Amino acid sequence: EPEVTQTPSHQVTQMGQEVILRCVPISNHLYFYWYRQILGQKVEFLVSFYNNEISEKSEIFDDQFSVERPDGSNFTLKIRSTKLEDSAMYFCATKTSGNIETQYFGPGTRLLVL
Amino acid sequence: DQQVKQNSPSLSVQEGRISILNCDYTNSMFDYFLWYKKYPAEGPTFLISISSIKDKNEDGRFTVFLNKSAKHLSLHIVPSQPGDSAVYFCAASVSGTASKLTFGTGTRLQVTL
């Protein structure tokens, strides 16, 4: 069964450094999302992406964050200058089309900012 | 603003019995609801969903009930198995093209022998 994959599984970085989290969506899926879960809290929406542009972003997704699909397969989340409070699990999710609501999640990247 | 709430942080059920997990929502625009199961250090795994045009959806041991007037949904697992032990998240969306999911805080289910 096709799966969403994410790399790396863990990332430790120093505050102020840039990180890039990568996701490979399920091949026929057209809609892409990033969510995050701070330890002990609920899963929160960050951004949705369709047709090579952002569809919606949350207030968490400020100017330090960006997304792109550089090569038509990978979907990346970049955090330009990490802060301590960016430490969380980051999940990529994808869905096939606009009238299907079910999103399928990757295994996540655990980001720790020191 | 907690638009999706799961008021029980944990639930313990004996193997073979029914597990009932509850979820309430406040946003009347939500018209699609999903349940995800999550193990530690893994991503949420889709379990079952329901559209607001239905009040029940069943898939094997899992049944989701939706009460729109009460803005309440529940997930029933019958019979519960030890492998069902995980955190269960309720999520809701306003159906559309790139609609985001709004998650509840989760209920940790433990199925005991």
Side-chain angles (χ1 to χ4, degrees):
Chain A
E1 186 173 317
E3 292 180 335
V4 178
T5 59
Q6 289 185 242
T7 55
S9 57
H10 295 81
Q11 174 105 38
V12 181
T13 191
Q14 295 291 324
M15 190 170 57
Q17 295 295 302
E18 174 183 286
V19 295
I20 298 176
L21 311 182
R22 291 181 170 80
C23 168
V24 178
I26 296 172
S27 64
N28 62 340
H29 286 199
L30 302 176
Y31 293 81
F32 313 115
Y33 304 80
W34 284 101
Y35 293 82
R36 79 173 185 189
Q37 185 183 28
I38 294 172
L39 188 64
Q41 298 185 23
K42 63 181 179 179
V43 178
E44 301 175 286
F45 167 77
L46 292 178
V47 65
S48 57
F49 190 85
Y50 169 71
N51 200 26
N52 282 319
E53 60 183 29
I54 291 174
S55 304
E56 185 180 355
K57 57 185 180 180
S58 73
E59 58 193 25
I60 303 168
F61 194 90
D62 62 22
D63 291 345
Q64 296 300 315
F65 291 86
S66 62
V67 289
E68 64 175 0
R69 201 157 180 239
D71 55 10
S73 61
N74 288 290
F75 176 51
T76 62
L77 173 70
K78 183 192 290 186
I79 310 175
R80 200 174 356 263
S81 177
T82 49
K83 302 189 276 274
L84 296 176
E85 54 265 37
D86 293 328
S87 296
M89 282 287 286
Y90 287 81
F91 297 108
C92 172
T94 73
K95 72 171 187 174
T96 180
S97 66
N99 57 358
I100 300 292
E101 297 304 315
T102 302
Q103 296 178 23
Y104 294 90
F105 283 75
T109 293
R110 180 174 297 282
L111 176 66
L112 178 61
V113 182
L114 301 176
Chain B
D1 176 24
Q2 283 193 44
Q3 297 187 68
V4 179
K5 300 180 207 179
Q6 294 175 256
N7 291 319
S8 299
S10 63
L11 175 68
S12 183
V13 171
Q14 273 191 320
E15 182 181 11
R17 303 285 197 122
I18 183 170
S19 295
I20 300 177
L21 296 97
N22 294 302
C23 178
D24 298 292
Y25 61 96
T26 56
N27 186 344
S28 56
M29 298 294 291
F30 288 143
D31 59 0
Y32 200 85
F33 304 90
L34 308 92
W35 285 94
Y36 286 85
K37 175 180 179 180
K38 187 180 181 301
Y39 295 113
E42 293 186 12
T45 301
F46 170 70
L47 272 179
I48 191 168
S49 61
I50 188 166
S51 162
S52 60
I53 63 173
K54 295 185 174 182
D55 53 21
K56 177 182 174 181
N57 189 26
E58 200 168 347
D59 183 2
R61 296 187 298 114
F62 302 93
T63 303
V64 55
F65 296 92
L66 175 62
N67 182 335
K68 287 191 294 291
S69 60
K71 294 193 177 69
H72 177 83
L73 62 154
S74 60
L75 173 68
H76 293 211
I77 306 173
V78 184
S80 301
Q81 299 173 353
D84 296 329
S85 298
V87 178
Y88 289 78
F89 288 96
C90 166
S93 71
V94 178
S95 57
T97 50
S99 45
K100 67 183 180 187
L101 296 178
T102 300
F103 281 83
T105 48
T107 296
R108 181 177 302 279
L109 173 66
Q110 182 168 10
V111 180
T112 57
L113 297 172

